[in-house]
Amino acid sequence: MSRQSRSWMNFDTDKHGQVYGNYQKLYDGIDALAAFAFIIGSALFFSEKTQTIGTWLFLIGSVFFAVRPCIHVARDFHMARLSPAGDAGGNSQS
C-alpha cells in the first residue's frame, strides 16, 4: 500500500496499515457472524419447537459481540509493538 493511498489512515509504516487491515477484517467477520446468529435466532423464536436453538444462537451472538472489543485491544497492543517509521532494523513482528 503506497503512502499516498493510506495517508488518510495516518499509519507510520505499510506494516501498520497491513496489521490494522487484518484486524479490521477479523472484526468485520465476527460482526457478521453475530448479526447472522441474532437474525437466525430471532426467526427460530417463532416456533416453540425451535426456541431452544434460537436461545443458543442468541447466546452465541452475544459471545461474538463480547469478542469484538477484545479484537480492538489485541490490535492496539500489536500495533504498539511494531517499529515506528524510520527505526533502524525494523521490527518484523506480525
Side-chain angles (χ1 to χ4, degrees):
M1 184 183 307
S2 73
R3 176 78 179 161
Q4 186 176 13
S5 68
R6 65 178 165 75
S7 63
W8 65 273
M9 295 181 201
N10 296 321
F11 294 125
D12 293 334
T13 65
D14 285 338
K15 185 67 176 177
H16 283 84
Q18 291 170 352
V19 168
Y20 187 92
N22 289 338
Y23 277 98
Q24 189 61 46
K25 290 172 191 164
L26 178 61
Y27 184 88
D28 291 344
I30 294 292
D31 222 11
L33 290 172
F36 289 132
F38 275 98
I39 290 168
I40 295 168
S42 296
L44 292 174
F45 258 78
F46 286 120
S47 170
E48 223 175 277
K49 291 179 183 179
T50 57
Q51 282 183 358
T52 301
I53 297 168
T55 302
W56 276 103
L57 284 172
F58 281 140
L59 178 62
I60 291 166
S62 297
V63 169
F64 284 140
F65 280 132
V67 168
R68 292 169 61 210
C70 297
I71 293 169
H72 279 270
V73 170
R75 179 200 64 205
D76 292 345
F77 278 109
H78 188 167
M79 289 187 67
R81 289 192 329 260
L82 295 175
S83 330
D87 262 6
N91 188 343
S92 63
Q93 292 181 5
S94 53

